Amino acid sequence: MISLDKSKNYEIKMDELIRIMKNSGFLTSNRIEWAIRKNPRHEFVPKSLQDSAYKDIPLSLMKKQTISQPSVVSRMTELLNVKKGQKILEVGSGSGWQSAILSFLIGHGKIFSIDRHPELVKFAKKNLDKLGVQNVNVILGDGSLGLSKEAPFDRIIITAACKKVPPPLFEQLSMEGLLIAPVGEYPQSLILFKKTSQGIKEIENQPGYVFVPLLGKFGHQLS
Ligand code: SAM
């Protein structure tokens, strides 16, 4: 097999991935297609997995964590409906790929992305630096607590499975803001919530997703 590094031929594989995601209905927005194309996924996976980077599957990272399936990243990004200039909180930086895609869509906006593993914080930072992404701040911590000093956030994305959305994250969401999270035991439902003057409203609920668990104070407990 030709190595992506040597051949620089990832565009062909990217075209095929985009075609698959469009055919399955997980990618419908030209703007999001553009942001995905601007962030080649092979730059966000370990070298040994670069040849699989354009398969529509999750791939292993260090510490038994994963970079999510491209279709799922596309679906979550579409549902989150981000706008230029917004402030976003991501819980679960992993490889940094989801942040990188969002960063292209928010222009001069700002993303704060938290992971609980120092190895992944370092990995995500390195990947974002390689691509020259400057509006993402990757932070080590327990994302189930949110990041109160930077709140409120226009959008919050949780990229790990929670039994229920950690209460601090709803508190740190702006009025009219959107929060997306995989919620439940196994499998999870992808739920989009909106904060309104009448409270938190569920505005979309799609069953059948599987994520690694959100750990931490308001997440699953380590056994
Ligand atoms: N968004 C990532 C990407 O683009 O590669 C994929 C995220 S991976 C599916 C889930 C991540 O959530 C893991 O990196 C894991 O370490 C992190 N995580 C789990 N519980 C966490 C917590 N309480 N705080 C911060 N990160 C957490």
Side-chain angles (χ1 to χ4, degrees), residues 127-142:
N127 296 336
L128 292 161
D129 282 352
K130 259 192 306 191
L131 291 193
V133 176
Q134 288 182 340
N135 56 353
V136 180
N137 192 355
V138 187
I139 296 162
L140 177 66
D142 177 2

Side-chain angles (χ1 to χ4, degrees), residues 65-66 90 92-95 98 115-117 120 142-143 159 215:
Q65 301 304 317
T66 54
E90 180 188 36
S93 318
S95 67
Q98 173 74 78
D115 208 286
R116 59 186 289 276
H117 288 295
L120 288 164
D142 177 2
T159 64
L215 301 173

Side-chain angles (χ1 to χ4, degrees), residues 10-22:
Y10 73 87
E11 281 98 344
I12 298 163
K13 294 186 178 197
M14 175 71 98
D15 285 346
E16 178 59 8
L17 174 62
I18 296 283
R19 191 187 64 74
I20 289 168
M21 294 197 292
K22 283 181 164 174

Side-chain angles (χ1 to χ4, degrees), residues 44-111:
F44 292 86
V45 301
K47 267 218 161 16
S48 59
L49 293 176
Q50 285 191 336
D51 282 331
S52 300
Y54 295 94
K55 293 181 181 158
D56 192 18
I57 52 173
L59 293 171
S60 297
L61 304 174
M62 48 285 273
K63 308 308 283 184
K64 297 195 179 141
Q65 301 304 317
T66 54
I67 176 171
S68 303
Q69 184 178 349
S71 292
V72 175
V73 171
S74 176
R75 172 66 50 84
M76 289 179 91
T77 308
E78 291 205 2
L79 287 170
L80 205 57
N81 191 21
V82 300
K83 313 271 186 231
K84 287 215 181 308
Q86 285 187 328
K87 193 195 248 193
I88 298 179
L89 176 67
E90 180 188 36
V91 178
S93 318
S95 67
W97 193 49
Q98 173 74 78
S99 273
I101 292 167
L102 290 170
S103 84
F104 270 68
L105 298 167
I106 56 165
H108 59 280
K110 183 85 191 149
I111 299 176

Side-chain angles (χ1 to χ4, degrees), residues 136-155:
V136 180
N137 192 355
V138 187
I139 296 162
L140 177 66
D142 177 2
S144 78
L145 300 170
L147 192 64
S148 54
K149 69 179 166 70
E150 296 293 344
F153 298 97
D154 302 302
R155 300 287 186 266

